[in-house]
Each structure stands twice: as structure tokens, then as C-alpha cells.
Amino acid sequence: MCKSDDSLQALFSEWKNPVFAHCPEVAVNIGTGQSGGLAVKIHNILYPYRFTKEMIHTMKVLQQVDTKFIACLVRTRSVADPVSDGNLLVLVDQHAVHERIRLEQLIADSYETQSESLGRRKLCSSTVCPPLEITVTSEQKRLLQSYLMDMQEVGLDMTFPESEGTVVHVCKVPQCFVEREANELRRGRQTITKTAVEDLIREQLELLQNTGRARGTLPLTVLKVLASQACHGAIKFNDHLNLEECELLMASLSSCQLPFQCAHGRPSMVPLADIDHLEMEKQDQCKPNLTRLTKMCKDWKIYGKQ
């Protein structure tokens, strides 16, 4: 068994892998600066950047890359120069960007314009017939009755028949639930409205039980449904975009509240390289010390495998 292991080790030590180069067995001491030549210079790590919405307004679109990304130049210089070109090369995820644009538009369209003019934000709702029967506890039913107006603001309207105990009848639901339901049925999938309504009621009840009041922000359950809608209708990878379409996409992104993440929270763009840093490195680059390289090569041949 031991002899077999030795022969196997010898076989691997002599085999030249055609894909991966054989790693040197000599350790590199990173504390002495020996690893400088081995490090991969990733500029978004070595030079951290703080992106702001204002940068998107100065963004110059170069072209689409691999029918997946949009290459752009962003100006990040501390000294503002309105006539200078951008210095930071970034790749923008075309699907993530369009998804973010669609999500914020869907959120804006989800509220009734009349309620906003009155200083209240109320989600658009659709009537469901017959009403959905949702079973809750006695305490939960009491809370829903007490905060019915708050439920109506998130698109829910319900009745509380005394004859059916702890069952509530939901007769209105957020409009986006009905739209999502139609899309799911069109794809031959199962109905989702009742599950989404149960999740929304549970979310609101937990909020009332923990804080004693309803929150005025968009419920997470509604946001997830809208994010799914935004994703399905967004530009996909391998969709060809010309320069004008790329510029229009970036112009729409500049008006978003959260332009640097998609509908699901993932980054929409990543920095690749700073042209200013590349120019500095090019100027500081020294000629190789051939004498030292020759000595290192000889030392490797003698001591490399010891």
C-alpha cells in the first residue's frame, strides 16, 4: 500500500498538467515584498471607490460588451472638471440596471394618485370575487378589525363575518398580486394570490404585534412581487443593444433612487480599472534587473526542489 502511494506520488510529480501549471513548492514570504510579482492587481480592491448618484450623470457610455454588459467611463476625480473625460472604467449589468428602472417605475405606479394628493399613500387594489377566506386567530382578527384602515392603505380590504368564527373574507388585494396571478396562470403555473395575501397579512400582524402600529413604507411582500415582475420584463443577457439604447438606459438609471443595485439587492455595476492609476503605474515602471533575475533563476534550479 505504501509502495503504491509512493509510485502514485512520483507519477504526479513527473506529470506535466496541460491545463494548470505546476505550483512551486517554495513558499513566498509576503512580509518581505516577494509576492509583489505574484499579486493580481484588482483596482476595485486596491483603490476603493465611493459611488454617488451624481457620478451617473457624468457617465460616458462606450459600448455594449458581450451582449451582457455596458462599458462606461465615470469621473471620480476629487477635483471637479466638467470638461474632462471619465477616469474609471466600469462594467454595468444591463439586466440589473433595467430591472432596477422597472422596479422603481412599478413601485410608483402601485400607488393611487388621488391618495398621494391628499398626503396619504395608498396602494392600488383590485376586487376579488369570490372573496378569499383566510383563517386567523381571535387576537389576530381583533387586530385586523382595529387597524382596518391601515390594511386598506396596503391594498387589503376585508369583512369579518361573525358566523364564521376566526375566518376573515378578503375582498380586495393589491393590484400587483392580481397581475402576478395572471402571469403565473399564463405560464401554466399554480395560483399565488391567496398565498401572497396570507404572507402580507402575516407581515402586517407581526408589525402591529411588535410595534403597536402600522408602518408607512412599502410592505416587503408587495416589494417581492414587484421585484419578480421587474425581473421578468427586463432586458436579458444576450439581448443586443445599440449605443443609443445603452445611453437611454443609463439616462433612466440616473433618475433612480437606488441605481447601484438590482431589484433583488445585487450590484448593478463593478469598477474594472482607473485610467489615472494605470498611467501612474506605467510611468513608475522600472526596467527589469537582469542580473538579479539570472541569480534568482540559478538559485531556483539549485534549491527549488529541496
Side-chain angles (χ1 to χ4, degrees), residues 128-170:
V128 289
C129 188
L132 300 173
E133 295 184 2
I134 307 295
T135 302
V136 294
T137 65
S138 300
E139 174 62 19
Q140 289 172 339
K141 184 176 180 179
R142 185 190 64 79
L143 277 173
L144 291 173
Q145 286 177 307
S146 302
Y147 290 90
L148 181 59
M149 186 174 295
D150 294 302
M151 297 300 106
Q152 291 171 347
E153 288 189 356
V154 296
L156 292 174
D157 197 4
M158 55 192 74
T159 58
F160 307 91
E162 294 295 336
S163 59
E164 298 190 34
T166 57
V167 173
V168 298
H169 289 182
V170 180

Side-chain angles (χ1 to χ4, degrees), residues 46-64:
L46 299 179
Y47 307 104
Y49 296 96
R50 180 176 178 270
F51 285 99
T52 63
K53 290 176 61 177
E54 289 73 21
M55 289 180 182
I56 300 181
H57 295 285
T58 67
M59 189 175 284
K60 180 182 178 181
V61 176
L62 301 178
Q63 65 179 45
Q64 189 186 37

Side-chain angles (χ1 to χ4, degrees), residues 14 54 72 75 105 118 129 138 158 161 195 206 210 226 241-242:
E14 296 175 359
E54 289 73 21
C72 302
R75 189 168 64 239
Q105 187 60 56
L118 298 174
C129 188
S138 300
M158 55 192 74
T195 302
E206 288 178 0
N210 294 331
L226 292 176
L241 301 175
N242 58 36

Side-chain angles (χ1 to χ4, degrees), residues 1-10:
M1 185 70 179
C2 183
K3 186 177 293 184
S4 175
D5 290 343
D6 292 341
S7 61
L8 187 62
Q9 182 66 32

